[in-house]
Amino acid sequence: MRILASQFRAARALLGKDQEDVAAWVGLDRREVSRWEAAKYKLFSSDAEDMQKAFEKNGIEFLAATGALGAGVRWRKPGQKDRFRGAQFRAARAMANLSMRDLQATSGVNRNFVTRLETGLIGALNLETLKKLERAFARLNVELTAESENWGAGVRWTVPDPFSQPAANEHQ
């Protein structure tokens, strides 16, 4: 299965890890991980396979594009503690390759709120604010997928080829 750079970014974000952590898992330099995530390398090498295996070892499942849906990532097993779906929103932002400033402009949600949400430093929230974020990601062709009894929550592209869609913010 071909893994997209956006999937590597989203997997790392779902886990809440930085590029140094991922680099250490597979014996790469942080700059190499950065290049993988920026799609500056073709993702068909043994390094890409090693990165995929490292993420899978840490509980991530890579989803291939199927039919009308695009590729994505999710927790391999249900039951991850993510009270307000902060890790899931962080992964969606990484999938779409958005900065906090970009997400604020796209969603109308203050980036300070997004920071608190993504880091789990939020006590309560307005459901309409979450809906604004979900609608913004939907416009970018990114879906936050629900947990089931068989697998955990995650994110995926809602179109088979997000890079041919004008709404996608990533170039590969």
Side-chain angles (χ1 to χ4, degrees), residues 2-85:
R2 178 176 172 241
I3 304 296
L4 303 174
S6 59
Q7 288 175 279
F8 281 131
R9 286 193 310 269
R12 185 172 58 79
L14 197 57
L15 288 169
K17 298 294 183 184
D18 62 27
Q19 290 177 341
E20 296 244 341
D21 293 327
V22 174
W25 292 345
V26 292
L28 296 173
D29 183 89
R30 185 211 52 84
R31 291 173 298 201
E32 289 177 283
V33 172
S34 176
R35 288 182 201 113
W36 284 109
E37 290 184 2
K40 294 188 178 177
Y41 291 144
K42 294 292 182 197
L43 299 177
F44 294 112
S45 75
S46 61
D47 286 340
E49 289 177 22
D50 291 346
M51 283 179 50
Q52 179 181 352
K53 288 176 187 172
F55 280 117
E56 290 170 346
K57 182 178 177 184
N58 282 279
I60 297 295
E61 180 177 5
F62 288 88
L63 307 172
T66 58
L69 291 175
V73 297
R74 67 181 173 207
W75 291 105
R76 186 176 298 282
K77 296 179 181 175
Q80 294 296 319
K81 290 186 172 121
D82 192 12
R83 185 171 177 202
F84 296 117
R85 300 186 308 157

Side-chain angles (χ1 to χ4, degrees), residues 64-139:
T66 58
L69 291 175
V73 297
R74 67 181 173 207
W75 291 105
R76 186 176 298 282
K77 296 179 181 175
Q80 294 296 319
K81 290 186 172 121
D82 192 12
R83 185 171 177 202
F84 296 117
R85 300 186 308 157
Q88 200 175 10
F89 280 107
R90 185 175 57 237
R93 188 169 61 81
M95 177 81 80
N97 202 20
L98 295 176
S99 68
M100 290 282 187
R101 187 177 310 262
D102 293 336
L103 182 55
Q104 178 177 307
T106 300
S107 68
V109 174
N110 184 288
R111 66 182 177 207
N112 293 325
F113 172 81
V114 174
T115 299
R116 291 192 318 274
L117 175 65
E118 289 185 3
T119 57
L121 299 175
I122 204 154
L125 51 85
N126 179 327
L127 292 179
E128 186 54 37
T129 302
L130 289 184
K131 292 291 181 200
K132 283 182 180 180
L133 289 172
E134 289 173 349
R135 286 190 298 266
F137 286 120
R139 287 190 302 273

